[in-house]
Amino acid sequence: MTDQNSETKTAPTNFIRQIIEKDLAQGRHARIVTRFPPEPNGYLHIGHAKSICLNFGIAEAYQGDCQLRFDDTNPAKEEDEYIQSIQRDVSWLGFEWAGDVRYASGYFDTIYDCAVELIKKGLAYVESLTADEMREYRGTLKAPGKPSPYRERSVEENLALFEQMKNGDIDEGAAVLRAKIDMASPNISLRDPTLYRVRKIHHHQTGDKWCIYPMYDFTHPISDALEGVTHSLCTLEFEAHRPLYDWVIEHCALPAAPRQYEFARLNLNYTVTSKRKLKDLVDGGYVGGWDDPRMPTIAGLRRRGYTPASLRKFCEMVGVARADSVVDMGMLESAIRDDLNQNAPRAFCVLRPLKLVIENLPDGHEEMLDAPVHPQNEALGTRKIPLTREVFIDREDFLEEANKKFKRLVLDSEVRLRYGYVIRANEVIKDAAGNITEVRCTYDPDTLGKNPEGRKVRGVIHWVSATRNVPCEVRRYSRLFNEANPDKVAEEGLTFLSNINPDSLESLPAALAEESLLGALPETRYQFEREGYFAVDRDSTTEKLVFNMTVGLKEGF
Ligand code: ATP
Ligand code: MG
């Protein structure tokens, strides 16, 4: 499969690239540094792919660096499995982070020092109000907050209390460290935001060293500055936090002054892009796991058959703007369809087999027919398809009676077996219940590669040999949710889970693929002629290949 990295270099411009080009032109930075900062609390999803393509794409385009940093300030929800999967997904998408993987937790010492410095400058204090009281004091969008009675604690008292917090002498919830900014600010995130809280839990990176953990809004600017990040790109929900980001950069002694820029989140219809909701789907058993092919996770899309190039292309098509929007799932599907149409080898797979006996072929007849691997790309060569006396066609490709519009096999008429001969259906065999079990045919030996004279053939159908084939299970998927916006629920009290499509997985356990697919490895992708695009699943065994349907041949569901 071709999978060039080149398209990102020519990616269309956007407002962030324009800012960077201006910064470079004005000599503001010698080298551009970005970062992708996931919290390891779930698998990455298609929305993250947008952020990854943006951050790594910019580093590539301007010969800068993009770092991978785990924003691991909330150890209660974080796991090593997520740390591993995130690295795997970023690499698979085709990007390389600069240097080692970084962890915000790697800066906990410095972040702590910054907090102590702020206390010494009179810019932070230990709060002893309860969480409920703090909420009450914070005010609302319309009403200003009011100062806490603990706001004017002395520097010495604050230092001593913060030290106690650090040493585990203060219970969770009994105290937090707050920045002393402005309780009357119209921007609520500036109303003395929390910088540190007590959490007496084990951290996957720092073990039991800390029982206080810095908040995201405090950690993030410091981590960016320590890593020399020049442009800290995040999604729009952080826009209101930008003044706090700048406040931290201004008041802590840091080696650099990164700037934050916000862009719109990617939302896709008929699915959810929130790690929390995706975790609900996994934990609730609604899907088989984070990499279930119905999941909009990168791991799920990969298993479904998406290529890295198709996801990068999709992100490029979506673009980077400041307006929130919902992208149609069809756009994602068209990105992979275009890729596979160009690159996937063709194969025959009969999804619902119906036996067809070619009576004028002798028992044991085996004739190797040639078929192109890709009809538009001769360089890929040909594959051999064995023709035998008994073959299988798809049940949907045969009718006892039909009008002229049915371009497949009908009793007493002719159809071509693709890359083979024209056959005529002469007789139908049925079981006691009246189900068709077999179709008896004859073939015209004079029709290989040419049409019969004076007769009309209805169409061309795919087929596989009954004796030389590969048994398969084919899994077809439809949307995971019945609602374009899964959060739109029918009644109050229901959640997005009420919109799950109960029929999103259809298994065809008795499919048969052509012999050349024997031993195909997981993630190999094919176009099954007339059916769609399919990828080998990791559930495959030596006895049976398992395929996931990636996408249909044409747009439309
Ligand atoms: P989620 O709500 O799914 O947990 P998050 O924003 O909390 O998402 P993070 O791990 O914090 O997830 O995200 C890492 C980076 O990816 C952040 O810079 C974030 O802004 C970006 N990101 C997350 N979701 C999207 C999305 N839907 N579209 C674009 N960027 C996203
Ligand atoms: Mg988050």
Side-chain angles (χ1 to χ4, degrees), residues 342-345 372-374 377-383:
Q342 260 189 51
N343 299 309
V373 170
H374 193 300
N377 187 351
E378 264 180 40
L380 294 178
T382 59
R383 61 195 212 258

Side-chain angles (χ1 to χ4, degrees), residues 496-518:
F496 74 104
L497 295 169
S498 64
N499 285 321
I500 285 201
N501 171 10
D503 303 316
S504 57
L505 166 64
E506 176 199 16
S507 170
L508 299 158
L512 295 167
E514 66 175 70
E515 193 184 50
S516 71
L517 268 53
L518 197 69

Side-chain angles (χ1 to χ4, degrees), residues 259-423:
R259 297 184 68 145
Q260 172 182 308
Y261 299 92
E262 308 88 23
F263 62 95
R265 283 181 93 81
L266 168 67
N267 302 299
L268 257 190
N269 63 8
Y270 293 101
T271 193
V272 289
T273 45
S274 142
K275 280 180 284 184
R276 183 182 59 74
K277 288 178 192 154
L278 295 172
K279 188 169 187 324
D280 287 346
L281 292 174
V282 174
D283 292 347
Y286 297 95
V287 293
W290 284 99
D291 71 346
D292 185 295
R294 291 166 291 181
M295 290 281 271
T297 51
I298 295 176
L301 292 165
R302 174 178 182 176
R303 197 169 162 195
R304 178 85 172 245
Y306 278 75
T307 59
S310 69
L311 295 184
R312 292 197 304 262
K313 179 73 191 172
F314 169 71
C315 292
E316 188 188 310
M317 294 192 309
V318 167
V320 178
R322 277 186 57 87
D324 269 318
S325 65
V326 180
V327 173
D328 193 276
M329 185 67 96
M331 197 160 147
L332 181 61
E333 291 170 351
S334 98
I336 185 62
R337 188 181 293 113
D338 288 351
D339 180 344
L340 295 180
N341 180 35
Q342 260 189 51
N343 299 309
R346 273 44 175 171
F348 286 163
C349 183
V350 172
L351 302 187
R352 294 141 300 219
L354 170 64
K355 189 188 274 184
L356 203 138
V357 181
I358 305 168
E359 292 180 302
N360 56 341
L361 278 179
D363 276 337
H365 176 89
E366 278 187 8
E367 180 179 352
M368 298 310 280
L369 300 172
D370 278 320
V373 170
H374 193 300
Q376 281 86 50
N377 187 351
E378 264 180 40
L380 294 178
T382 59
R383 61 195 212 258
K384 296 278 181 204
I385 303 182
L387 174 69
T388 48
R389 181 177 145 91
E390 294 190 354
V391 301
F392 284 104
I393 63 166
D394 198 288
R395 241 164 223 289
E396 296 198 344
D397 282 342
F398 176 76
L399 285 178
E400 287 180 85
E401 279 175 64
N403 64 22
K404 285 206 172 64
K405 285 194 191 128
F406 189 73
K407 302 286 179 206
R408 316 176 206 178
L409 187 60
V410 179
L411 201 55
D412 294 323
S413 71
E414 286 182 307
V415 84
R416 178 179 295 281
L417 294 181
R418 190 153 163 90
Y419 304 123
Y421 299 89
V422 170
I423 56 160

Side-chain angles (χ1 to χ4, degrees), residues 397-519:
D397 282 342
F398 176 76
L399 285 178
E400 287 180 85
E401 279 175 64
N403 64 22
K404 285 206 172 64
K405 285 194 191 128
F406 189 73
K407 302 286 179 206
R408 316 176 206 178
L409 187 60
V410 179
L411 201 55
D412 294 323
S413 71
E414 286 182 307
V415 84
R416 178 179 295 281
L417 294 181
R418 190 153 163 90
Y419 304 123
Y421 299 89
V422 170
I423 56 160
R424 164 181 293 276
N426 303 318
E427 190 191 345
V428 172
I429 315 276
K430 293 182 181 171
D431 64 14
N435 302 308
I436 300 174
T437 54
E438 196 175 303
V439 180
R440 298 251 151 188
C441 310
T442 43
Y443 88 112
D444 179 345
D446 200 28
T447 53
L448 189 61
K450 59 182 177 188
N451 284 325
E453 265 171 49
R455 284 137 54 208
K456 250 199 128 50
V457 174
R458 272 181 184 262
V460 184
I461 62 174
H462 64 287
W463 54 280
V464 293
S465 160
T467 46
R468 297 181 59 173
N469 58 49
V470 187
C472 310
E473 177 192 339
V474 172
R475 298 174 183 163
R476 296 203 295 191
Y477 305 99
S478 44
R479 286 174 176 148
L480 193 47
F481 291 94
N482 286 322
E483 272 287 335
N485 173 8
D487 288 320
K488 193 181 136 202
V489 293
E491 285 171 46
E492 215 180 309
L494 293 176
T495 69
F496 74 104
L497 295 169
S498 64
N499 285 321
I500 285 201
N501 171 10
D503 303 316
S504 57
L505 166 64
E506 176 199 16
S507 170
L508 299 158
L512 295 167
E514 66 175 70
E515 193 184 50
S516 71
L517 268 53
L518 197 69

